[in-house]
């Protein structure tokens, strides 16, 4: 019997994994990763460039903003394909994401791995974002215009 994958849930965990620091992923995932012989690499980590597009005013015509480095990897574990994409040139990060993606697709393990990996990583990501927002707010400068009296 084939289990259907919930796309928004998968997008959520892939986003969390890609936005988490690699050293944190290594410490969290390493104990649960299968032995190397159980992981078949379809694509070891590769680094390349993608074109970033922007829109004038957020809604106008598209234009090429520039290029960004990305790393990707794909593997198969127990018949499940895992894919990892991450900004930058950290191939190991992409490979960790691919392995985690494959393991998270197993309906037998999914809930346990979501609570072990994704829930704490989401909380850490939210804390980092809140801290960055506080720092930005602390350095906010208010500009105003004074009207000269006549």
């Amino acid at each position: 019997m084939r289990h259907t994958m919930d796309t928004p849930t998968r997008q959520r965990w892939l986003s969390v994994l890609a936005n988490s620091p690699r050293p944190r992923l290594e410490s969290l995932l390493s104990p649960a990763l299968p032995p190397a012989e159980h992981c078949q690499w379809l694509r070891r980590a590769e680094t390349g460039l993608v074109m970033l597009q922007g829109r004038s005013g957020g809604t106008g015509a598209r234009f090429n903003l520039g290029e960004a480095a990305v790393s990707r990897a794909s593997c198969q574990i127990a018949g499940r394909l895992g894919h990892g994409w991450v900004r930058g040139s950290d191939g190991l990060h992409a490979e960790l994401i691919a392995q985690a993606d494959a393991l998270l697709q197993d309906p037998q393990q999914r809930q346990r791995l979501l609570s072990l990996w994704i829930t704490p990583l989401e909380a850490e990501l939210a804390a980092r974002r809140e801290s960055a927002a506080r720092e930005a707010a602390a350095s906010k400068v208010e500009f105003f215009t004074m009207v000269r009296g006549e």
Side-chain angles (χ1 to χ4, degrees):
M1 180 167 115
R2 186 160 167 81
H3 295 275
T4 58
M5 176 54 52
D6 176 18
T7 301
T9 300
R10 187 171 183 206
Q11 288 173 338
R12 180 183 125 227
W13 77 55
L14 286 170
S15 174
V16 168
L17 292 166
N19 286 296
S20 295
R22 181 183 45 87
R24 177 66 174 127
L25 287 185
E26 284 179 295
S27 67
L28 198 59
L29 304 179
S30 292
L33 294 179
E37 62 271 10
H38 293 189
C39 181
Q40 177 188 1
W41 288 101
L42 307 174
R43 178 186 303 122
R44 291 303 299 225
E46 301 174 335
T47 299
L49 296 172
V50 295
M51 181 59 69
L52 301 176
Q53 290 189 339
R55 286 182 178 264
S56 301
T59 58
R62 290 179 189 239
F63 63 93
N64 290 336
L65 184 62
E67 295 176 331
V70 295
S71 296
R72 68 179 182 173
S74 297
C75 69
Q76 185 171 357
I77 300 173
R80 292 179 177 80
L81 294 178
H83 303 285
W85 286 77
V86 66
R87 286 181 310 273
S89 59
D90 191 346
L92 181 54
H93 194 172
E95 289 181 357
L96 287 168
I97 294 168
Q99 291 176 62
D101 182 41
L103 293 171
L104 282 160
Q105 291 179 59
D106 180 354
Q108 307 281 325
Q109 297 186 70
R110 184 174 305 131
Q111 287 309 319
R112 181 179 64 82
L113 295 178
L114 284 172
S115 64
L116 277 175
W117 296 345
I118 305 304
T119 302
L121 290 172
E122 269 182 326
E124 293 166 17
L125 182 59
R128 282 195 308 276
R129 286 180 175 161
E130 184 177 323
S131 174
R134 275 196 311 273
E135 286 179 31
S139 65
K140 184 178 178 183
V141 177
E142 295 288 339
F143 293 96
F144 60 92
T145 304
M146 293 179 61
V147 177
R148 284 194 346 198
E150 295 188 41

